[in-house]
Amino acid sequence: MERMPKWADVALVPLMSLMLAFAISALVIAAIGENPWAAIRTMVTGALGSTYGWGYTLYYTTNFLFTGLAVSVAFHAGLFNIGGEGQAALGGLGVALCCLFIPWPHWSLALIAATLSGAAFGAAWAALPAWLQARRGSHIVITTIMFNFIGASLLNYLLVNVLKPQGSMDPATARFAPEVRLPGLHEVLAVAGIPFSKATPVNVTLLVGLAACVAVWALIWRTRLGYEIRAFGKSEKAAVYAGIRPVRITMVAMLISGGLAGMMAINNVMGEAERLVMNSVEGAGFIGIAVALMGRGHPFGVLLAALLFGFLYQGGAELALFTSIPRELIVVIQALVILFTGALDDLVRRPVAALFRLTRKETR
Amino acid sequence: MEPLGGVSPDGGRPAAVAPSAPWAIELRGISKAFGPVQANRDISIRIARGSIHGIVGENGAGKSTLMSILYGFYRADAGEILIGGRPVQIPDSQAAIRAGIGMVFQHFKLVPNFTVLENVILGAEDGALLRPSLTRARAVLADLAREYDLDVDPNAVVENLSVGHQQRVEILKALFRRADILILDEPTGVLTPDEADHLFRILRGLRDQGKTIVLITHKLREIMEITDHVSVMRRGQMVATVPTPETSPEQLAELMVGRKVLLHVDKGPAAPGRTVLQVENLALTDAQGVQRLRGINLHVRAGEILGIAGVAGNGQSELLDVLGGYARATGRVTVNGVEIDLTGRTGDGRSRRAQGIAHVPEDRQVRGLILDFAAWENVGFGYHHAPEYQKNALFMDNDALRADCAAKMARFDIRPPIPALAARNFSGGNQQKIIVAREIERNPDLLLVGQPTRGVDIGAIEFIHKQIIALRDAGKAILLVSVELDEILSLSDRIAVMFDGRIMGERLPSETNERDLGLLMAGMAG
């Protein structure tokens, strides 16, 4: 019943949770005998202090955007899609096949085709768990987790036995043709005369990701399908009363979700590696869950959360590179952020809500 | 804190207790706001020890908020609570229990797969080991049962008990915690007339033993029957407290609504036309293999209201589910001569609407509304494919929905008239009005209505009944399901009584009465 202002709900509470997570991270760093202040400075300058740092931060951000949106769409339908990792891996297969076996005259055509292909493969990988949930009631959390492992095994097999070029010792596909190389962000920004580091993997996919944010927002809050997805997610019984078919919504929402996860591959496979390697997703599918939770399922929130995790990824890499803080500590910091912004949300929310009640009473 | 106009500061004089005795409950200047909504405004009331005190008011009048403050769910913004003459702080329900207050909620708070005994001690165990608590509770329960006619088998599993018995378990829970003051929120909403009578006997017994009972209800007949004093709330204020013998249902209704209210439904004779709904041999077996419908035959003609009476759980819900398109059944159902699909292959809520069937579902919060959606989003619920709600092939026209919602709010007097407010934040009556507005304004050939006024305040009941009759007078067919016999008798043009998945018989309202229908409802063919 008691509500705090919207700005506090969507901005203040997550920010305070974040500060709390950073504060405890600082304590942990101090406890292992390092200087937390120096660590934070290294992270910030490393991730945001140069266009080089920004390039990597935004590259990771792009990955998390897609997986975060994927989890969000399923979330609105009341479905917890833990399978972003596998769907993005399969998306990588779709992108790789599209880039390897079709001679594209120009990268723009290749990008469109690869986006569709990656989305189709990701969607296909989400389809079976979705069908099992819709028809047989097999819990989607369990099946999507299992499909992550099946997907990883499938890719291992394909890379080692089918797609690896003859004579290569490396379980990866051949390098894509130069025609399908995606322009880096520095090339895009150069058009506007903005200088940007050439040595980073961030590429035009970032723009696709931003477009996907807008598209997901429009889908969820402006279309009939989005209306049905949200209604179904809030109350299945009411949805059925309204003539919304649960099987259809479950399938459609999961196909969109898997498709978005699969689209991530145009960033890491086509844009960065320019070939398909083993374990190409590197956990971005799981980070997407945290991103979606922290972004509260709203594309703009997802964008902010993806930026935060992009910063943590890049800043963390810098930390491991330039200080004697062990690499594992980065995982601790990331875990604390997830813990405080996701799982322990109420820890901050309740006192803040109580504070607002108090001040409101006094002003009256 | 001045007393408000219309409030009698004196809570009425108790019959059995000397005037000098402290009041069981005294509230002084209680105020509570939720954001901009002032749910309770400077409420002062005294409740005499050893009396039954009724509190009536429309939904949203603030009764539940007031009781929640008394039970520690909310904290008042201002005001004092005195129990037995002593000022107390009630920050949580534990404190309320310590102060001797017991609460029986409308929706029971029982663990269905626990026994009665286990439910009674839950949260009041003596220690880590259960056996001593259970043994003690068994003895206490036996005493209580003897003293108050509260007979319940302590070893019965709660989910196997009838609703009436479950309610007794709730009362026992409160008494086991040594409650002197018992608050009951709409206790008869789920009871058959017989069970309600038994409850009243129990309550009178409790009062005669010195307990104080606060009864929250919207049924004026019950207030007149059982209470000693009655307080009326309207829009967050306590507008009157009077001894029950000195008032009348008409006066109370007027106090509640703030204007004269018609307690009887004004309706002309029906002019039935062609048959709209024809149901033949409708049968349904649920997932547990229980036969819920055993060959239903009925028809509803244009311009008439067929009322289905019956005790809840005798197949009425399933009948509505099948006709509404979300339960599978066998048999044959035609609407306007066209057969509708009962197998679920092509028939669903959407296709039913396309066939001219609108549906005000029995449970508005579970089916009829998405509580987290704004009112304007709910206004198109089920009709979100309608062309007037589309901007183009791709997008919905949210502005059209908002405009439609604002218009419906004006026409149906839905309060507060804020389309952006989530459905959850409307009172029960206003939630129901949102649904009724949505379904009736589609101008359906057949309207299915389940429990249209359950938990709805008097003002809204009158309004909803008028709307249903207006639809009938416009030549539409209406199938009304209700467990309120009053409602069935006053609205229906024909009455069919359901028992155990069958139609026990049909009556004309002019040729029957509650007794006659009661026999049919109990499964005795008349």
mmCIF file of all heavy atoms in Angstrom, chain B residues 457-492:
data_model
loop_
_atom_site.group_PDB
_atom_site.id
_atom_site.type_symbol
_atom_site.label_atom_id
_atom_site.label_comp_id
_atom_site.label_asym_id
_atom_site.label_seq_id
_atom_site.Cartn_x
_atom_site.Cartn_y
_atom_site.Cartn_z
ATOM 1 N N ASP B 457 -20.305 -2.940 -2.060
ATOM 2 C CA ASP B 457 -21.101 -2.140 -1.138
ATOM 3 C C ASP B 457 -22.489 -1.831 -1.687
ATOM 4 O O ASP B 457 -22.755 -1.984 -2.873
ATOM 5 C CB ASP B 457 -20.371 -0.840 -0.826
ATOM 6 C CG ASP B 457 -19.826 -0.231 -2.085
ATOM 7 O OD1 ASP B 457 -20.587 0.429 -2.801
ATOM 8 O OD2 ASP B 457 -18.634 -0.453 -2.376
ATOM 9 N N ILE B 458 -23.360 -1.386 -0.795
ATOM 10 C CA ILE B 458 -24.772 -1.215 -1.150
ATOM 11 C C ILE B 458 -24.990 -0.285 -2.335
ATOM 12 O O ILE B 458 -25.747 -0.586 -3.250
ATOM 13 C CB ILE B 458 -25.559 -0.666 0.068
ATOM 14 C CG1 ILE B 458 -25.643 -1.746 1.130
ATOM 15 C CG2 ILE B 458 -26.957 -0.243 -0.351
ATOM 16 C CD1 ILE B 458 -26.629 -1.436 2.212
ATOM 17 N N GLY B 459 -24.291 0.855 -2.309
ATOM 18 C CA GLY B 459 -24.475 1.809 -3.396
ATOM 19 C C GLY B 459 -24.146 1.182 -4.738
ATOM 20 O O GLY B 459 -24.865 1.348 -5.726
ATOM 21 N N ALA B 460 -23.042 0.415 -4.756
ATOM 22 C CA ALA B 460 -22.614 -0.206 -6.000
ATOM 23 C C ALA B 460 -23.548 -1.353 -6.383
ATOM 24 O O ALA B 460 -23.803 -1.581 -7.560
ATOM 25 C CB ALA B 460 -21.177 -0.697 -5.891
ATOM 26 N N ILE B 461 -24.061 -2.069 -5.370
ATOM 27 C CA ILE B 461 -24.991 -3.166 -5.661
ATOM 28 C C ILE B 461 -26.190 -2.633 -6.429
ATOM 29 O O ILE B 461 -26.587 -3.160 -7.469
ATOM 30 C CB ILE B 461 -25.472 -3.848 -4.356
ATOM 31 C CG1 ILE B 461 -24.333 -4.655 -3.727
ATOM 32 C CG2 ILE B 461 -26.672 -4.751 -4.619
ATOM 33 C CD1 ILE B 461 -24.696 -5.286 -2.395
ATOM 34 N N GLU B 462 -26.757 -1.556 -5.898
ATOM 35 C CA GLU B 462 -27.926 -0.941 -6.517
ATOM 36 C C GLU B 462 -27.603 -0.591 -7.973
ATOM 37 O O GLU B 462 -28.357 -0.891 -8.895
ATOM 38 C CB GLU B 462 -28.278 0.324 -5.726
ATOM 39 C CG GLU B 462 -29.556 0.978 -6.149
ATOM 40 C CD GLU B 462 -29.703 2.363 -5.513
ATOM 41 O OE1 GLU B 462 -28.712 2.883 -4.984
ATOM 42 O OE2 GLU B 462 -30.806 2.911 -5.568
ATOM 43 N N PHE B 463 -26.440 0.001 -8.158
ATOM 44 C CA PHE B 463 -26.033 0.438 -9.489
ATOM 45 C C PHE B 463 -25.856 -0.755 -10.435
ATOM 46 O O PHE B 463 -26.354 -0.758 -11.564
ATOM 47 C CB PHE B 463 -24.722 1.228 -9.372
ATOM 48 C CG PHE B 463 -24.297 1.870 -10.649
ATOM 49 C CD1 PHE B 463 -24.788 3.120 -11.013
ATOM 50 C CD2 PHE B 463 -23.422 1.218 -11.503
ATOM 51 C CE1 PHE B 463 -24.401 3.712 -12.191
ATOM 52 C CE2 PHE B 463 -23.029 1.808 -12.687
ATOM 53 C CZ PHE B 463 -23.519 3.057 -13.035
ATOM 54 N N ILE B 464 -25.156 -1.776 -9.949
ATOM 55 C CA ILE B 464 -24.884 -2.939 -10.800
ATOM 56 C C ILE B 464 -26.188 -3.654 -11.146
ATOM 57 O O ILE B 464 -26.405 -4.071 -12.285
ATOM 58 C CB ILE B 464 -23.875 -3.871 -10.098
ATOM 59 C CG1 ILE B 464 -22.493 -3.205 -10.081
ATOM 60 C CG2 ILE B 464 -23.803 -5.229 -10.789
ATOM 61 C CD1 ILE B 464 -21.483 -3.880 -9.187
ATOM 62 N N HIS B 465 -27.082 -3.782 -10.178
ATOM 63 C CA HIS B 465 -28.376 -4.410 -10.459
ATOM 64 C C HIS B 465 -29.144 -3.637 -11.532
ATOM 65 O O HIS B 465 -29.736 -4.229 -12.437
ATOM 66 C CB HIS B 465 -29.204 -4.490 -9.176
ATOM 67 C CG HIS B 465 -28.767 -5.608 -8.270
ATOM 68 N ND1 HIS B 465 -29.275 -5.790 -7.014
ATOM 69 C CD2 HIS B 465 -27.860 -6.588 -8.451
ATOM 70 C CE1 HIS B 465 -28.708 -6.851 -6.451
ATOM 71 N NE2 HIS B 465 -27.837 -7.348 -7.302
ATOM 72 N N LYS B 466 -29.111 -2.317 -11.420
ATOM 73 C CA LYS B 466 -29.806 -1.507 -12.430
ATOM 74 C C LYS B 466 -29.231 -1.740 -13.819
ATOM 75 O O LYS B 466 -29.960 -1.809 -14.808
ATOM 76 C CB LYS B 466 -29.675 -0.020 -12.075
ATOM 77 C CG LYS B 466 -30.727 0.479 -11.100
ATOM 78 C CD LYS B 466 -30.604 1.982 -10.956
ATOM 79 C CE LYS B 466 -31.574 2.511 -9.899
ATOM 80 N NZ LYS B 466 -31.179 3.845 -9.443
ATOM 81 N N GLN B 467 -27.895 -1.834 -13.885
ATOM 82 C CA GLN B 467 -27.251 -2.048 -15.181
ATOM 83 C C GLN B 467 -27.667 -3.387 -15.780
ATOM 84 O O GLN B 467 -27.921 -3.496 -16.980
ATOM 85 C CB GLN B 467 -25.718 -2.017 -15.017
ATOM 86 C CG GLN B 467 -25.166 -0.671 -14.609
ATOM 87 C CD GLN B 467 -25.388 0.379 -15.673
ATOM 88 O OE1 GLN B 467 -25.355 0.074 -16.859
ATOM 89 N NE2 GLN B 467 -25.637 1.607 -15.253
ATOM 90 N N ILE B 468 -27.729 -4.413 -14.932
ATOM 91 C CA ILE B 468 -28.093 -5.742 -15.426
ATOM 92 C C ILE B 468 -29.534 -5.718 -15.954
ATOM 93 O O ILE B 468 -29.841 -6.272 -17.017
ATOM 94 C CB ILE B 468 -27.913 -6.791 -14.306
ATOM 95 C CG1 ILE B 468 -26.425 -6.960 -13.996
ATOM 96 C CG2 ILE B 468 -28.534 -8.122 -14.712
ATOM 97 C CD1 ILE B 468 -26.134 -7.840 -12.799
ATOM 98 N N ILE B 469 -30.403 -5.059 -15.198
ATOM 99 C CA ILE B 469 -31.802 -5.003 -15.633
ATOM 100 C C ILE B 469 -31.942 -4.166 -16.908
ATOM 101 O O ILE B 469 -32.711 -4.510 -17.812
ATOM 102 C CB ILE B 469 -32.684 -4.460 -14.498
ATOM 103 C CG1 ILE B 469 -32.773 -5.547 -13.416
ATOM 104 C CG2 ILE B 469 -34.064 -4.087 -14.995
ATOM 105 C CD1 ILE B 469 -33.322 -5.060 -12.115
ATOM 106 N N ALA B 470 -31.160 -3.108 -17.005
ATOM 107 C CA ALA B 470 -31.214 -2.287 -18.221
ATOM 108 C C ALA B 470 -30.799 -3.122 -19.434
ATOM 109 O O ALA B 470 -31.378 -3.006 -20.517
ATOM 110 C CB ALA B 470 -30.299 -1.072 -18.077
ATOM 111 N N LEU B 471 -29.807 -3.980 -19.239
ATOM 112 C CA LEU B 471 -29.353 -4.825 -20.351
ATOM 113 C C LEU B 471 -30.458 -5.811 -20.738
ATOM 114 O O LEU B 471 -30.704 -6.068 -21.913
ATOM 115 C CB LEU B 471 -28.079 -5.581 -19.950
ATOM 116 C CG LEU B 471 -27.320 -6.229 -21.104
ATOM 117 C CD1 LEU B 471 -26.666 -5.168 -21.985
ATOM 118 C CD2 LEU B 471 -26.260 -7.190 -20.594
ATOM 119 N N ARG B 472 -31.143 -6.339 -19.721
ATOM 120 C CA ARG B 472 -32.260 -7.235 -20.003
ATOM 121 C C ARG B 472 -33.339 -6.496 -20.786
ATOM 122 O O ARG B 472 -33.864 -6.990 -21.775
ATOM 123 C CB ARG B 472 -32.857 -7.746 -18.692
ATOM 124 C CG ARG B 472 -34.048 -8.650 -18.898
ATOM 125 C CD ARG B 472 -34.934 -8.710 -17.683
ATOM 126 N NE ARG B 472 -35.754 -7.505 -17.530
ATOM 127 C CZ ARG B 472 -36.820 -7.424 -16.749
ATOM 128 N NH1 ARG B 472 -37.178 -8.463 -16.033
ATOM 129 N NH2 ARG B 472 -37.514 -6.302 -16.655
ATOM 130 N N ASP B 473 -33.658 -5.293 -20.322
ATOM 131 C CA ASP B 473 -34.712 -4.521 -20.986
ATOM 132 C C ASP B 473 -34.322 -4.144 -22.409
ATOM 133 O O ASP B 473 -35.174 -3.849 -23.235
ATOM 134 C CB ASP B 473 -35.040 -3.268 -20.173
ATOM 135 C CG ASP B 473 -35.724 -3.634 -18.859
ATOM 136 O OD1 ASP B 473 -36.214 -4.784 -18.760
ATOM 137 O OD2 ASP B 473 -35.746 -2.794 -17.939
ATOM 138 N N ALA B 474 -33.013 -4.159 -22.693
ATOM 139 C CA ALA B 474 -32.566 -3.898 -24.062
ATOM 140 C C ALA B 474 -32.650 -5.169 -24.913
ATOM 141 O O ALA B 474 -32.167 -5.202 -26.039
ATOM 142 C CB ALA B 474 -31.136 -3.359 -24.057
ATOM 143 N N GLY B 475 -33.242 -6.231 -24.341
ATOM 144 C CA GLY B 475 -33.480 -7.438 -25.127
ATOM 145 C C GLY B 475 -32.331 -8.411 -25.152
ATOM 146 O O GLY B 475 -32.179 -9.198 -26.088
ATOM 147 N N LYS B 476 -31.475 -8.375 -24.106
ATOM 148 C CA LYS B 476 -30.349 -9.300 -24.066
ATOM 149 C C LYS B 476 -30.649 -10.428 -23.080
ATOM 150 O O LYS B 476 -31.437 -10.266 -22.153
ATOM 151 C CB LYS B 476 -29.080 -8.569 -23.626
ATOM 152 C CG LYS B 476 -28.807 -7.308 -24.416
ATOM 153 C CD LYS B 476 -28.608 -7.606 -25.890
ATOM 154 C CE LYS B 476 -28.307 -6.323 -26.653
ATOM 155 N NZ LYS B 476 -28.103 -6.586 -28.081
ATOM 156 N N ALA B 477 -29.967 -11.553 -23.297
ATOM 157 C CA ALA B 477 -30.148 -12.701 -22.409
ATOM 158 C C ALA B 477 -29.107 -12.645 -21.295
ATOM 159 O O ALA B 477 -27.952 -12.301 -21.541
ATOM 160 C CB ALA B 477 -29.990 -14.001 -23.195
ATOM 161 N N ILE B 478 -29.538 -12.953 -20.073
ATOM 162 C CA ILE B 478 -28.603 -12.878 -18.943
ATOM 163 C C ILE B 478 -28.691 -14.141 -18.110
ATOM 164 O O ILE B 478 -29.782 -14.569 -17.710
ATOM 165 C CB ILE B 478 -28.901 -11.630 -18.078
ATOM 166 C CG1 ILE B 478 -28.515 -10.368 -18.866
ATOM 167 C CG2 ILE B 478 -28.110 -11.679 -16.777
ATOM 168 C CD1 ILE B 478 -29.226 -9.138 -18.454
ATOM 169 N N LEU B 479 -27.522 -14.736 -17.878
ATOM 170 C CA LEU B 479 -27.432 -15.890 -16.991
ATOM 171 C C LEU B 479 -26.736 -15.422 -15.724
ATOM 172 O O LEU B 479 -25.574 -15.038 -15.744
ATOM 173 C CB LEU B 479 -26.631 -17.019 -17.653
ATOM 174 C CG LEU B 479 -26.505 -18.297 -16.827
ATOM 175 C CD1 LEU B 479 -27.832 -19.038 -16.807
ATOM 176 C CD2 LEU B 479 -25.413 -19.194 -17.373
ATOM 177 N N LEU B 480 -27.497 -15.456 -14.631
ATOM 178 C CA LEU B 480 -26.981 -14.913 -13.371
ATOM 179 C C LEU B 480 -26.714 -16.049 -12.387
ATOM 180 O O LEU B 480 -27.597 -16.845 -12.099
ATOM 181 C CB LEU B 480 -28.011 -13.942 -12.781
ATOM 182 C CG LEU B 480 -27.831 -13.525 -11.330
ATOM 183 C CD1 LEU B 480 -26.691 -12.530 -11.191
ATOM 184 C CD2 LEU B 480 -29.123 -12.935 -10.773
ATOM 185 N N VAL B 481 -25.493 -16.122 -11.907
ATOM 186 C CA VAL B 481 -25.170 -17.102 -10.872
ATOM 187 C C VAL B 481 -24.873 -16.340 -9.596
ATOM 188 O O VAL B 481 -24.071 -15.409 -9.598
ATOM 189 C CB VAL B 481 -23.946 -17.958 -11.272
ATOM 190 C CG1 VAL B 481 -23.473 -18.783 -10.090
ATOM 191 C CG2 VAL B 481 -24.286 -18.861 -12.437
ATOM 192 N N SER B 482 -25.549 -16.708 -8.522
ATOM 193 C CA SER B 482 -25.285 -16.023 -7.263
ATOM 194 C C SER B 482 -25.606 -16.958 -6.109
ATOM 195 O O SER B 482 -26.511 -17.792 -6.203
ATOM 196 C CB SER B 482 -26.129 -14.753 -7.159
ATOM 197 O OG SER B 482 -25.929 -14.137 -5.914
ATOM 198 N N VAL B 483 -24.841 -16.817 -5.029
ATOM 199 C CA VAL B 483 -25.173 -17.592 -3.838
ATOM 200 C C VAL B 483 -26.051 -16.770 -2.891
ATOM 201 O O VAL B 483 -26.497 -17.263 -1.872
ATOM 202 C CB VAL B 483 -23.904 -18.068 -3.087
ATOM 203 C CG1 VAL B 483 -23.156 -19.085 -3.910
ATOM 204 C CG2 VAL B 483 -22.997 -16.906 -2.739
ATOM 205 N N GLU B 484 -26.291 -15.507 -3.261
ATOM 206 C CA GLU B 484 -27.158 -14.655 -2.441
ATOM 207 C C GLU B 484 -28.591 -14.853 -2.906
ATOM 208 O O GLU B 484 -28.962 -14.421 -3.995
ATOM 209 C CB GLU B 484 -26.769 -13.183 -2.601
ATOM 210 C CG GLU B 484 -25.322 -12.882 -2.320
ATOM 211 C CD GLU B 484 -25.092 -12.487 -0.868
ATOM 212 O OE1 GLU B 484 -26.081 -12.380 -0.122
ATOM 213 O OE2 GLU B 484 -23.926 -12.304 -0.495
ATOM 214 N N LEU B 485 -29.384 -15.494 -2.062
ATOM 215 C CA LEU B 485 -30.768 -15.777 -2.471
ATOM 216 C C LEU B 485 -31.554 -14.495 -2.723
ATOM 217 O O LEU B 485 -32.374 -14.429 -3.634
ATOM 218 C CB LEU B 485 -31.471 -16.615 -1.409
ATOM 219 C CG LEU B 485 -31.356 -18.123 -1.606
ATOM 220 C CD1 LEU B 485 -32.196 -18.852 -0.585
ATOM 221 C CD2 LEU B 485 -31.770 -18.520 -3.016
ATOM 222 N N ASP B 486 -31.300 -13.480 -1.896
ATOM 223 C CA ASP B 486 -31.982 -12.191 -2.084
ATOM 224 C C ASP B 486 -31.790 -11.692 -3.504
ATOM 225 O O ASP B 486 -32.720 -11.225 -4.159
ATOM 226 C CB ASP B 486 -31.381 -11.130 -1.148
ATOM 227 C CG ASP B 486 -31.846 -11.348 0.271
ATOM 228 O OD1 ASP B 486 -32.753 -12.189 0.441
ATOM 229 O OD2 ASP B 486 -31.304 -10.693 1.175
ATOM 230 N N GLU B 487 -30.547 -11.794 -3.938
ATOM 231 C CA GLU B 487 -30.198 -11.274 -5.253
ATOM 232 C C GLU B 487 -30.899 -12.074 -6.347
ATOM 233 O O GLU B 487 -31.476 -11.520 -7.280
ATOM 234 C CB GLU B 487 -28.675 -11.365 -5.424
ATOM 235 C CG GLU B 487 -28.159 -10.774 -6.703
ATOM 236 C CD GLU B 487 -26.662 -10.559 -6.618
ATOM 237 O OE1 GLU B 487 -25.948 -11.503 -6.249
ATOM 238 O OE2 GLU B 487 -26.194 -9.449 -6.923
ATOM 239 N N ILE B 488 -30.857 -13.403 -6.211
ATOM 240 C CA ILE B 488 -31.512 -14.274 -7.178
ATOM 241 C C ILE B 488 -33.009 -13.958 -7.240
ATOM 242 O O ILE B 488 -33.586 -13.787 -8.306
ATOM 243 C CB ILE B 488 -31.297 -15.756 -6.785
ATOM 244 C CG1 ILE B 488 -29.826 -16.160 -6.942
ATOM 245 C CG2 ILE B 488 -32.220 -16.669 -7.569
ATOM 246 C CD1 ILE B 488 -29.397 -16.437 -8.348
ATOM 247 N N LEU B 489 -33.606 -13.859 -6.050
ATOM 248 C CA LEU B 489 -35.057 -13.646 -6.004
ATOM 249 C C LEU B 489 -35.465 -12.299 -6.588
ATOM 250 O O LEU B 489 -36.493 -12.176 -7.241
ATOM 251 C CB LEU B 489 -35.555 -13.752 -4.556
ATOM 252 C CG LEU B 489 -35.757 -15.191 -4.062
ATOM 253 C CD1 LEU B 489 -35.872 -15.231 -2.558
ATOM 254 C CD2 LEU B 489 -36.995 -15.803 -4.714
ATOM 255 N N SER B 490 -34.635 -11.280 -6.347
ATOM 256 C CA SER B 490 -35.078 -9.958 -6.793
ATOM 257 C C SER B 490 -34.722 -9.673 -8.253
ATOM 258 O O SER B 490 -35.406 -8.895 -8.893
ATOM 259 C CB SER B 490 -34.504 -8.875 -5.883
ATOM 260 O OG SER B 490 -33.103 -8.964 -5.852
ATOM 261 N N LEU B 491 -33.699 -10.316 -8.776
ATOM 262 C CA LEU B 491 -33.296 -10.015 -10.155
ATOM 263 C C LEU B 491 -33.898 -10.950 -11.198
ATOM 264 O O LEU B 491 -34.207 -10.537 -12.302
ATOM 265 C CB LEU B 491 -31.770 -10.076 -10.279
ATOM 266 C CG LEU B 491 -30.952 -8.857 -9.862
ATOM 267 C CD1 LEU B 491 -29.489 -9.089 -10.148
ATOM 268 C CD2 LEU B 491 -31.435 -7.609 -10.577
ATOM 269 N N SER B 492 -34.061 -12.235 -10.831
ATOM 270 C CA SER B 492 -34.348 -13.241 -11.861
ATOM 271 C C SER B 492 -35.780 -13.170 -12.378
ATOM 272 O O SER B 492 -36.710 -12.817 -11.641
ATOM 273 C CB SER B 492 -34.112 -14.643 -11.295
ATOM 274 O OG SER B 492 -32.877 -14.707 -10.660
#
